[in-house]
Amino acid sequence: MGFKYYLTTPIYYVNDEPHLGHAYTTVAADALARYMRLRGGDVLFLTGTDEHGQKVERAARERGEHPKQLADRMVDRFQALWRRLQISNDDFIRTTEERHRQAATLLFQTIQQHGDIYKGEYEGWYCTPCESFIPEGQMEEERTCPDCGRATERLKEESYFFAMSRYQGALLQHLEENPAFIQPESRRNEIVSFVQRGLRDLSISRTSFSWGIPIPGDSRHVMYVWVDALTNYLTAAGYGSDPERFRHYWPADVHLIGKDILRFHAVYWPTLLMAAHLPLPRQVFAHGWWTVEGKKMSKSVRNVVEPNRLLDEFGVDAFRYFLLREVPFGLDGDFSRSALISRINGDLANDLGNLFSRVLTMIERYLGGVLSRPRSGSGPLSDRARAMVGEVRELMECLSFHRALGRIWDFIADMNRFVDEKAPWLLARERDKREELETVLYDLAEGLRLTSLHLFPFMPETARKMWKQLGISSRWEDQVGEASWQWGQLSDGVRVAKAEALFPRLQKEKEKRIATARAEAAPPPAPVLPEPAPPSPRAGSHTLVSLEEFCRLDLRVAHIMAAYPIPGSKKLIRLEVDLGGETRTLVAGIGQTHQPERLQGRKVVIVANLAPAKLMGIESQGMILAASGDGGQPVLIVPETDVPPGAKVR
Ligand code: MSP
C-alpha cells in the first residue's frame, strides 16, 4: 500500500434534514478520497452522524420516543443520500456507538490526568440549536445567536472545565509554524486574531439534560456535545480500541468542514489534542457557504435545496460536477438551476460529451473500432496530457477542485482543437495517410482515457461509462497506481464500442418555456437553416439587390467529409466540410430529413462568408443551401457535375 491518507467530513446533526450544504462537504471529501485512492493511497475516508445533545433529546421527547430510536430512524436519510451521491466513505461513525463512548471517555480521562480539567460553575447564554454558549460580546441584539439567529437561553450549572486558556501560546505557535494547518489563508488569519484576543477555559459538561456520554466518575454530567463530536475523528482511527490502527492513521490529514464550524475545529480541537498529548491533524480546510439565488438557505424562506430532488432531475454526476466546478473551493457560492443547466450543456454535453462521441464514431467508422498503438513516438497531445497530470495533482493536493476541473477542461479543449487541426476525415480519404490516421485516433482515445481517470473522482459514473466504451476495465481498482497516469496505456488492438451519449443536452428553462408555448400555438415549419432563412421571394414581393450586393455573398461548393448527429437535437447535424484545402464545421437543420451517414462524401453549396453562429454550443462557420420541397422539407442544392471542393458559385 502507498501513502496513508485520512480525511473526514464533519459528522452531521442526525435530526437535521440533509441539504445542499451537507452534500457539498461530503461530495468534496469524496472527490478527494477517490483521487487519493487512484494515486495509490491507503485512504480512510470518514463521515457520520452527531447524535447526542439537548436538541435530539427534546425532539425525541416531543414524539414520545427514546432519543436512540429517533437517531436510528433519522440516520437512514443521510446514509441513503450518501449512497445516491456515490459517496465512498470507508467508515460511518455514529456517536451513539460503544466504540465512540470508549474513545470519548478515554480522551476525557487522559486530559483530566494531565491536570487540564477542573470542576466549576458555568453561567451564560446558550444556543441550543448550535449547542454552543455564546460569549456576551458576540451576542446579537435581542440575545440571539450570532451564527443561526435564533433565541439563546440563560443556563447556569455546575460544569467541568477544560483549561483551554493554558494553550493559547502553544496554539499560536503551532499556527505560526504550520501555515497550512488552517486553510484557506483568510480563515487562518481569522483564527490567529481570534486566538490572539485571548482564550477562555471551556465548559465541557452539562447537567441540564442527560442524552450524551456520561462524564467518567460523575454520571450526573454528560459531555459537551462538541467535545463528544470532535472526538469521533479519533474513534474511527482506533483510539482506545486498536493501537496499531491508531498509530497508522492518526493524525488525520484533512478535516474538511464548512466555515461556520471552524472555531470548534481550529481552536477547541487542537487544544484538546495538545492537552491529551496527541498529534494534531495536518490540516483543517474550511469551505464557503452556499446561498440560493442570492439568499441564505433557510426553512422559513422555503429555499432549502434538497439534493434528492436535483438528483432525480439531473443525475448524480452532473450534480457533483456542478458543486465542485461552479465555485472556488473555500469561497461562498450561489446556487441556481440555470447555472447548473448551463454547466451541463456547455461543459458536459458539448465540450466533453461531443468530443467523446465524435472520437469514438471516427474510430468505428475509419478503423473498424480497433485502435493500433503508434509505432513511432507520441504526438503533441501526450505533452499536453503530461502537463495536465502534474498540474491537476498539485491542485488536488491543495483542494483546489474548481481549478483542477478547469485544468482538465483545458485539456478537453486541446483535444477538440486537435480533432479540427488533424481532420481525421481528410486523412481517411487517402490511403497513404492510414498510419497518421491511426496515430491521431489513438492519441485522442488515449487522451480521453487520461481524462476519464481524472474525472473519476468527480464523476464516477461517467468515468465508468467512458472506460467501458474505451474497451478498458470499468473497475477503478484496476486503474490504481502510477502507471495509469502515464501516457500510452491503451493497448494495441483494443476495441472501442460506442454506446449512449454521456450527457444529453438539457433545454434551459427559458428555452423550454418558449418552445412549449410555440409548439402549442402552431407547429412551426422545420427550419432548414441554422441562421434565419432569408424571406422566400414571392411574386410581387421581390426585394431587388444589385449585382454588386449579390457578389458580396461567397457561395461555394463544399465536400462533406463527415456528418454527425448532435446529441440532444433531432433537427441539427454537425458537418465537417472541405472547401478546397480549408475545413469548416457547419451546423445544419436537416436532421429530420437527412441521415448523417448518407451525407458523407456528397457535394453541396454553402454560403461561406456568413458570420459564424453558435448552435447547441457548436460554432457553425457557414450555411448549407437547400430549396424548400413540397412539404417545406429541405432539398439540398448540388452541382450538376463533379466540381472540385471550394469552386465558386455565382
Ligand atoms: N454536528 C456538527 C459538526 C460536528 S463535527 C465534529 C454540525 N453539523 S451540521 O449538520 O450542521 O453540518 C455541518 C456541515 O454542513 C458543515 O460542514 C457546514 O458548513 C455544512 N453546511 C451547512 N449548511 C451549509 C451551506 N448553506 N453551505 C455550505 N455548507 C454548509 O455542524
Side-chain angles (χ1 to χ4, degrees):
M1 269 289 186
F3 59 99
K4 79 92 188 165
Y5 199 79
Y6 179 24
L7 93 145
T8 68
T9 72
I11 47 172
Y12 303 104
Y13 289 130
V14 76
N15 55 329
D16 282 355
E17 200 60 52
H19 61 62
L20 183 72
H22 303 128
Y24 186 46
T25 321
T26 317
V27 164
D30 186 61
L32 194 56
R34 286 175 183 271
Y35 180 79
M36 292 302 171
R37 285 192 201 108
L38 275 185
R39 293 235 73 125
D42 163 16
V43 173
L44 172 58
F45 166 25
L46 175 70
T47 187
T49 39
D50 188 350
E51 305 194 351
H52 287 132
Q54 197 163 8
K55 244 193 318 181
V56 178
E57 190 179 81
R58 276 188 190 165
R61 198 181 309 128
E62 279 162 21
R63 293 166 170 270
E65 268 180 322
H66 188 275
K68 178 66 167 44
Q69 251 179 319
L70 177 119
D72 287 347
R73 210 162 31 76
M74 307 289 260
V75 70
D76 282 352
R77 291 159 325 146
F78 280 96
Q79 289 176 332
L81 178 61
W82 300 155
R83 273 195 300 277
R84 278 198 86 183
L85 276 170
Q86 307 225 358
I87 302 302
S88 62
N89 52 300
D90 300 288
D91 195 354
F92 187 96
I93 189 159
R94 301 182 56 186
T95 51
T96 48
E97 287 173 67
E98 177 54 21
R99 59 172 174 160
H100 181 64
R101 192 194 58 77
Q102 278 175 18
T105 306
L106 177 62
L107 182 73
F108 189 97
Q109 284 168 333
T110 310
I111 299 176
Q112 202 168 29
Q113 276 158 19
H114 295 160
D116 283 331
I117 287 179
Y118 62 92
K119 210 183 215 180
E121 193 167 72
Y122 192 88
E123 181 167 9
W125 295 96
Y126 192 72
C127 174
T128 305
C130 297
E131 302 285 11
S132 172
F133 272 104
I134 314 295
E136 249 350 295
Q138 285 180 25
M139 195 100 66
E140 306 279 297
E141 276 178 41
E142 314 278 328
R143 302 212 182 282
T144 52
C145 167
D147 290 329
C148 74
R150 283 175 274 200
T152 57
E153 50 194 326
R154 190 79 184 162
L155 288 188
K156 179 175 178 180
E157 57 186 48
E158 181 187 271
S159 177
Y160 285 89
F161 282 83
F162 164 50
M164 191 162 72
S165 56
R166 291 185 196 155
Y167 291 90
Q168 179 178 350
L171 181 57
L172 275 175
Q173 189 182 345
H174 187 80
L175 288 165
E176 206 163 285
E177 287 169 2
N178 300 275
F181 178 53
I182 311 291
Q183 281 296 309
E185 191 62 24
S186 58
R187 302 279 164 229
R188 173 175 178 264
N189 299 340
E190 258 170 44
I191 291 296
V192 170
S193 37
F194 178 84
V195 180
Q196 276 167 344
R197 285 199 296 274
L199 292 185
R200 295 216 222 156
D201 290 352
L202 186 68
S203 157
I204 55 165
S205 76
R206 301 282 177 269
T207 52
S208 51
F209 63 92
S210 59
W211 182 234
I213 296 177
I215 294 294
D218 193 350
S219 56
R220 280 178 311 120
H221 288 252
V222 291
M223 207 174 281
Y224 171 40
V225 274
W226 267 102
V227 175
D228 164 350
L230 287 162
T231 311
N232 91 87
Y233 304 133
L234 292 177
T235 310
Y239 181 67
S241 62
D242 186 342
E244 204 173 310
R245 177 181 168 85
F246 189 64
R247 260 195 306 279
H248 180 64
Y249 283 114
W250 192 259
D253 293 272
V254 180
H255 290 317
L256 202 59
I257 56 163
K259 64 177 186 179
D260 53 318
I261 53 176
L262 181 60
R263 203 187 344 132
F264 302 100
H265 284 81
V267 181
Y268 299 2
W269 185 226
T271 51
L272 284 163
L273 290 168
M274 283 174 180
H277 301 181
L278 288 170
L280 307 196
R282 291 188 217 291
Q283 184 166 85
V284 175
F285 193 108
H287 64 66
W289 200 253
W290 281 92
T291 51
V292 178
E293 319 265 353
K295 295 204 186 73
K296 193 169 175 192
M297 247 193 298
S298 113
K299 278 190 195 147
S300 55
V301 186
R302 289 171 182 261
N303 67 347
V304 176
V305 177
E306 287 169 30
N308 276 307
R309 289 172 65 174
L310 294 170
L311 290 172
D312 291 341
E313 198 174 352
F314 300 106
V316 57
D317 279 9
F319 177 66
R320 290 175 58 117
Y321 174 77
F322 176 77
L323 288 184
L324 297 181
R325 177 70 186 101
E326 188 66 5
V327 177
F329 201 64
L331 300 185
D332 291 346
D334 188 52
F335 179 86
S336 80
R337 285 173 59 87
S338 64
L340 171 57
I341 294 172
S342 295
R343 287 281 176 198
I344 294 176
N345 285 343
D347 304 2
L348 301 182
N350 194 31
D351 301 343
L352 171 67
N354 267 349
L355 172 71
F356 190 63
S357 118
R358 257 174 109 190
V359 170
L360 261 60
T361 305
M362 290 192 285
I363 297 172
E364 286 195 336
R365 189 167 295 161
Y366 306 138
L367 306 179
V370 180
L371 288 172
S372 312
R373 212 175 149 145
R375 262 159 291 163
S376 55
S378 42
L381 270 190
S382 65
D383 294 337
R384 305 287 304 157
R386 264 182 221 113
M388 165 180 68
V389 173
E391 286 169 41
V392 170
R393 181 183 191 147
E394 279 172 27
L395 292 166
M396 290 301 281
E397 279 166 6
C398 64
L399 280 66
S400 196
F401 303 118
H402 71 293
R403 288 181 59 207
L405 283 167
R407 185 62 190 84
I408 300 168
W409 254 257
D410 287 346
F411 182 61
I412 290 173
D414 289 338
M415 284 191 284
N416 271 313
R417 258 192 307 276
F418 185 71
V419 172
D420 293 340
E421 275 162 29
K422 295 289 172 183
W425 47 92
L426 293 182
L427 299 175
R429 287 166 58 208
E430 298 184 36
R431 283 225 181 119
D432 62 340
K433 295 280 169 65
R434 174 79 186 181
E435 197 174 331
E436 190 180 347
L437 175 69
E438 286 177 355
T439 306
V440 165
L441 292 179
Y442 179 90
D443 284 0
L444 284 164
E446 177 61 12
L448 284 165
R449 182 195 67 83
L450 268 173
T451 305
S452 65
L453 193 66
H454 283 85
L455 291 182
F456 176 73
F458 301 98
M459 297 192 284
E461 267 187 7
T462 304
R464 276 192 213 103
K465 280 187 198 161
M466 292 174 77
W467 290 340
K468 214 162 159 207
Q469 297 187 43
L470 285 170
I472 54 182
S473 162
S474 51
R475 280 164 35 96
W476 69 266
E477 293 89 339
D478 295 334
Q479 329 271 345
V480 171
E482 279 315 303
S484 304
W485 302 86
Q486 309 286 324
W487 180 261
Q489 299 303 304
L490 280 175
S491 37
D492 196 37
V494 74
R495 177 172 283 279
V496 308
K498 191 166 175 267
E500 92 253 57
L502 297 180
F503 292 96
R505 265 184 77 91
L506 300 170
Q507 275 191 330
K508 283 221 174 102
E509 241 95 329
K510 201 166 143 204
E511 288 166 10
K512 229 192 238 171
R513 275 200 304 276
I514 296 171
T516 320
R518 270 209 202 129
E520 281 165 5
V528 172
L529 307 168
E531 282 295 294
S536 55
R538 266 176 246 116
S541 65
H542 288 280
T543 311
L544 299 178
V545 294
S546 67
L547 182 62
E548 209 179 298
E549 276 174 300
F550 172 74
C551 286
R552 288 173 57 206
L553 278 182
D554 187 15
L555 301 177
R556 285 175 190 269
V557 171
H559 181 223
I560 302 179
M561 307 289 149
Y564 311 100
I566 297 182
S569 170
K570 288 202 180 108
K571 253 175 234 159
L572 298 179
I573 290 188
R574 173 190 180 118
L575 302 170
E576 305 295 342
V577 302
D578 174 18
L579 272 190
E582 184 195 351
T583 317
R584 295 273 183 99
T585 300
L586 308 188
V587 178
I590 54 176
Q592 281 172 327
T593 44
H594 293 74
Q595 289 177 346
E597 352 12 305
R598 299 240 167 126
L599 288 166
Q600 198 179 343
R602 299 187 65 176
K603 294 219 169 106
V604 289
V605 177
I606 71 160
V607 185
N609 63 342
L610 197 66
K614 255 200 170 177
L615 288 135
M616 300 287 275
I618 305 169
E619 187 175 86
S620 183
Q621 300 152 336
M623 181 170 79
I624 191 165
L625 290 189
S628 259
D630 280 349
Q633 82 280 16
V635 179
L636 298 180
I637 308 293
V638 298
E640 185 184 2
T641 56
D642 200 23
V643 277
K648 210 160 165 44
V649 177
R650 343 163 198 252

